[in-house]
Amino acid sequence: MINHKLLAAAAVDAKSRAYAPYSRFHVGAALLCADGNVYIGCNIESAAYPATICAERTALTKAISEGVRKIRAIAVAGSFPDKEGNYCYPCGVCRQMLHEFVTDDFEVIIAKSADDYRVHKWEEILPYGFGPKDLA
């Protein structure tokens, strides 16, 4: 059973570590792996914008670099530091990267706080996604 509240809280905490001097929009992510480990990530901006990396991909690359290949869920939280944000969904690039590793029961928790979040199944987030199964 996935503890949505705990994962949402980890994403909100990760958001505080963001490096976003240009957009000032801070995003945090917490990725739950099949082995129970959680990898967090934050967005990291660069003056050369294409070099910027999103929180979701930061968490994913941390997990993959540690040998993880099976993930169960991700929580995402984003906002400007001085404002309560709306629900912040993964961008298209993050959705495509995650699609390489998700299973049909993968869950996406979109959090404003540890107590205010939405839970989605993967097919709601990326319907008709193109991935490894399409190349088999």
Side-chain angles (χ1 to χ4, degrees), residues 95 99 121-130:
R95 292 176 198 214
H99 195 63
K121 292 293 184 188
W122 182 246
E123 63 269 9
E124 295 175 82
I125 298 298
L126 187 64
Y128 313 109
F130 182 87

Side-chain angles (χ1 to χ4, degrees), residues 56 72-76 87-99 102-111 118-130:
E56 300 91 330
R72 295 184 56 206
I74 192 167
V76 180
Y87 296 105
C88 178
Y89 287 81
C91 74
V93 173
C94 289
R95 292 176 198 214
Q96 185 60 47
M97 285 286 295
L98 288 165
H99 195 63
V102 301
T103 57
D104 292 339
D105 60 347
F106 187 78
E107 292 184 336
V108 180
I109 300 101
I110 306 300
R118 297 174 176 176
V119 180
H120 298 278
K121 292 293 184 188
W122 182 246
E123 63 269 9
E124 295 175 82
I125 298 298
L126 187 64
Y128 313 109
F130 182 87

Side-chain angles (χ1 to χ4, degrees), residues 85 112-113 117:
K112 284 186 181 181
S113 70
Y117 57 84

Side-chain angles (χ1 to χ4, degrees), residues 31 39 53 55-66 97:
L31 184 75
Y39 292 86
I53 187 167
E56 300 91 330
R57 286 183 287 138
T58 299
L60 180 64
T61 56
K62 286 170 69 175
I64 298 305
S65 70
E66 294 298 322
M97 285 286 295

Side-chain angles (χ1 to χ4, degrees), residues 45-59:
E45 293 182 349
S46 170
Y49 253 76
T52 295
I53 187 167
C54 300
E56 300 91 330
R57 286 183 287 138
T58 299

